[in-house]
Amino acid sequence: MIQDLTNEAYEAGLKAGKQIVILAKEVYGRQMLYPACDTSRLFAAIADRSTLSEVNIRRIRQLGYEVTVTYPKPLIFDFTNP
């Protein structure tokens, strides 16, 4: 019964266009998930954290949100020019 309700909520959320954006960064060898939009910041505030865990992301998806994970662009240095 609970699984059915979760699936219904997930499908309804996708139809409603609910989406959040998360920024994944590597900090001291650990992958950290930072909120990158207003809705994801609100979820982090509800969790009373500055980052979101994988468990948080799983639960947010169960609420019907589509989660987009972005990665920072790597810095590219040109060492050939002095």
Side-chain angles (χ1 to χ4, degrees):
M1 183 71 164
I2 293 173
Q3 186 64 29
D4 293 339
L5 293 175
T6 302
N7 289 338
E8 288 175 13
Y10 178 75
E11 290 172 11
L14 288 180
K15 288 179 184 174
K18 295 194 281 186
Q19 182 177 18
I20 66 168
V21 180
I22 303 294
L23 178 64
K25 292 183 185 178
E26 190 170 317
V27 179
Y28 297 111
R30 294 183 59 202
Q31 184 174 351
M32 305 298 288
L33 303 170
Y34 292 93
C37 69
D38 291 338
T39 306
S40 60
R41 284 187 205 87
L42 182 60
F43 278 119
I46 290 170
D48 199 24
R49 299 179 53 121
S50 59
T51 60
L52 293 167
S53 69
E54 290 181 33
V55 172
N56 296 140
I57 300 299
R58 236 180 281 126
R59 290 182 178 152
I60 290 168
R61 283 187 173 139
Q62 288 177 344
L63 290 172
Y65 283 82
E66 181 180 345
V67 179
T68 302
V69 180
T70 60
Y71 300 89
K73 294 180 182 177
L75 297 176
I76 299 173
F77 296 103
D78 183 11
F79 292 106
T80 59
N81 293 326

